[in-house]
Amino acid sequence: MADYKSSKEAIHEGLERNSYGQGGRKEELEVSLENGEKTEVQIEIPERAYKETEVQPLFDRCEKKLDKLVLGSNKSLDRIESDMNLVTEISGEPVEITWELSRYDVMNIYGELQKKELTEEGTLLTLTATLSYTQDQEQKALYECSAMVFPERKNPKERQAGEIEAAVREADEKTRTEKIMPLPKNISGKNVKYYYPMENRGWILMTMAAIIGVLLYALEKQNVGKELQEKEQQMRLDYPEVINKFTLFLGAGMTVKRAWKKIVTDYEQQKDTWGERCVYEEMKIACHEMESGIIEAESYERFGRRCGLQEYVRFGALLSQNLRKGTKGLSQILKVEAAQAFEERKALAKRLGEEAGTKLLGPMFLMLAVVLFIVIVPAFMSVRM
């Protein structure tokens, strides 16, 4: 008993909370009772909450941040030409934000401008935000600002093109009944001339580049699909081995969690020899999840979903159900599962062998053609002679 106590670190003062805005966490603790009994518990530790006197400074700090955040890519509220950034939360701050606008015809609730409704004179818009403290929704603060919204200013070339198009439309309306549509010779006090653009190969090159891009994207998708298929095939081949190991360790008296970690440890030690195996990598991720505070049963279910194969989904659900409901005869169920998995593996190996034989037909026909060429060509040449 003395050795056991010396190996454990007792907690005297309590558990330290995460700082403001960092979220809560879970801790697994072993509790020793006065009568000598021991039990394991999982405790959820919420993040540290602000005191009542600290909430108002929190709101003041958030309002100062909002002054910059709402602008988006604009420089000032006096001239808004692009979408505003009406955030619903501020990074690192436990505050939720909801918005109300004085006019929804020029801007929607997401801060996106309705360009058809904007005028060159500008539109005054009042934005009101309600800031709510997430730990206590009763504590709120109001933030209000006013913005002048304008349509986006065009560059000189865009304005010039607009003037030319307007002048051409006006000339067209005046001469609609004539055979030839005249082009205005003077626009905004400047003499202009018109030319047909020179033919170039730019569009051809752009089209070819687009086609090549599509082909490369299709090739990448094909490679990704092939890698996924190879991964699934490898995991199916490894499934009987995983089940057999698990059954063996459970039969030796190990718990489910300990057997799981033992399989992962053995894989890590022999990884250089075996190479990387996808299913063991997923099991290792599940181990890290359990160590980081995720519930053991949930880790097994997440493992099955990540693998994406029905066998592993069933395996993860079986382990999860065993922990939650205490299913009896887990070892016997796994033995039956192992026998079934072995039969499926034999069928898969047989199918892969048949596919390999089919793939060899191409090279065989090619070799036959080469042999026929070597035999027939000299024969024809000898006949001519």
Side-chain angles (χ1 to χ4, degrees):
M1 182 64 70
D3 293 339
Y4 175 80
K5 287 185 176 181
S6 63
S7 64
K8 301 291 183 180
E9 182 180 351
I11 303 173
H12 299 289
E13 297 182 358
L15 300 173
E16 184 177 357
R17 299 178 183 272
N18 288 343
S19 185
Y20 311 108
Q22 294 183 354
R25 72 178 193 278
K26 295 179 180 179
E27 293 281 0
E28 289 188 3
L29 300 179
E30 183 179 284
V31 181
S32 178
L33 305 177
E34 186 177 357
N35 58 6
E37 295 181 359
K38 297 181 178 62
T39 183
E40 292 186 357
V41 296
Q42 188 177 74
I43 298 177
E44 185 172 351
I45 309 168
E47 68 177 28
R48 186 177 179 185
Y50 284 90
K51 299 177 182 177
E52 290 188 5
T53 56
E54 296 174 326
V55 174
Q56 188 56 46
L58 165 67
F59 287 144
D60 294 340
R61 184 169 66 250
C62 291
E63 290 176 3
K64 290 181 180 179
K65 291 183 178 181
L66 281 177
D67 289 337
K68 296 181 179 179
L69 290 174
V70 295
L71 290 175
S73 59
N74 298 285
K75 294 182 179 180
S76 170
L77 291 173
D78 295 332
R79 189 172 187 91
I80 298 297
E81 296 181 350
S82 60
D83 295 344
M84 298 184 70
N85 185 23
L86 302 187
V87 296
T88 56
E89 58 183 17
I90 299 177
S91 177
E93 304 290 359
V95 169
E96 296 177 354
I97 305 172
T98 56
W99 291 91
E100 291 184 4
L101 310 179
S102 60
R103 293 186 61 175
Y104 291 92
D105 56 335
V106 295
M107 181 186 295
N108 61 25
I109 197 64
Y110 303 107
E112 299 170 344
L113 298 181
Q114 309 301 305
K115 297 181 180 180
K116 293 182 179 180
E117 304 297 330
L118 303 181
T119 61
E120 294 293 339
E121 295 78 16
T123 305
L124 180 63
L125 181 66
T126 301
L127 302 92
T128 305
T130 303
L131 287 69
S132 305
Y133 179 40
T134 55
Q135 301 291 339
D136 184 1
Q137 293 290 333
E138 296 297 325
Q139 301 198 51
K140 301 178 183 292
L142 288 179
Y143 170 84
E144 187 175 280
C145 64
S146 297
M148 285 296 294
V149 184
F150 295 87
E152 186 176 3
R153 284 179 287 194
K154 297 181 179 180
N155 58 44
K157 284 189 176 181
E158 291 174 337
R159 288 198 302 269
Q160 192 175 62
E163 292 175 358
I164 294 172
E165 291 173 358
V168 171
R169 284 195 301 270
E170 183 179 354
D172 175 48
E173 291 175 358
K174 293 179 180 179
T175 60
R176 188 64 60 88
T177 58
E178 299 181 8
K179 183 178 180 180
I180 296 177
M181 185 186 76
L183 297 175
K185 305 295 183 181
N186 187 285
I187 297 176
S188 300
K190 298 179 182 179
N191 295 326
V192 295
K193 295 181 180 180
Y194 303 88
Y195 303 92
Y196 285 106
M198 293 182 62
E199 185 178 354
N200 55 55
R201 300 180 181 178
W203 288 107
I204 299 176
L205 294 175
M206 290 175 63
T207 303
M208 292 178 63
I211 294 173
I212 292 173
V214 172
L215 293 176
L216 290 175
Y217 177 77
L219 179 62
E220 182 181 357
K221 295 289 287 184
Q222 183 179 6
N223 291 335
V224 171
K226 187 176 180 181
E227 291 176 1
L228 180 60
Q229 186 177 5
E230 292 175 354
K231 176 184 175 182
E232 291 179 355
Q233 180 176 304
Q234 183 194 86
M235 295 178 76
R236 283 195 173 97
L237 291 173
D238 287 341
Y239 182 65
E241 181 179 349
V242 172
I243 294 295
N244 282 328
K245 287 183 178 180
F246 212 85
T247 305
L248 178 64
F249 291 143
L250 289 182
M254 290 186 180
T255 61
V256 173
K257 186 175 182 179
R258 187 175 177 186
W260 189 281
K261 291 185 176 181
K262 174 63 176 172
I263 293 174
V264 173
T265 303
D266 292 345
Y267 164 71
E268 287 292 322
Q269 293 174 351
Q270 301 180 20
K271 186 175 181 180
D272 294 337
T273 305
W274 291 359
E276 184 173 298
R277 310 297 293 181
C278 297
V279 64
Y280 293 104
E281 292 293 333
E282 295 294 344
M283 292 180 71
K284 185 167 66 173
I285 293 174
C287 272
H288 294 328
E289 288 180 346
M290 286 185 275
E291 292 172 357
S292 65
I294 295 178
I295 299 173
E296 183 179 350
E298 185 179 350
S299 298
Y300 296 144
E301 293 178 355
R302 288 158 66 101
F303 160 77
R305 290 195 295 269
R306 283 198 307 273
C307 291
L309 298 177
Q310 187 62 35
E311 301 94 289
Y312 290 99
V313 173
R314 185 170 62 247
F315 179 48
L318 183 63
L319 298 180
S320 174
Q321 184 180 8
N322 176 69
L323 288 174
R324 289 174 174 169
K325 299 183 180 180
T327 305
K328 295 182 179 179
L330 178 61
S331 298
Q332 188 62 33
I333 295 174
L334 290 178
K335 287 179 181 178
V336 175
E337 183 73 16
Q340 184 180 353
F342 184 73
E343 293 298 325
E344 292 177 354
R345 178 173 179 176
K346 288 195 297 184
L348 177 61
K350 182 179 179 181
R351 187 171 69 251
L352 292 176
E354 293 172 351
E355 291 176 358
T358 304
K359 291 178 181 178
L360 289 175
L361 290 176
M364 289 175 64
F365 280 114
L366 181 61
M367 292 176 62
L368 177 61
V370 172
V371 171
L372 290 175
F373 181 84
I374 294 173
V375 173
I376 295 173
V377 171
F380 274 96
M381 292 180 67
S382 63
V383 170
R384 283 187 175 185
M385 293 176 61

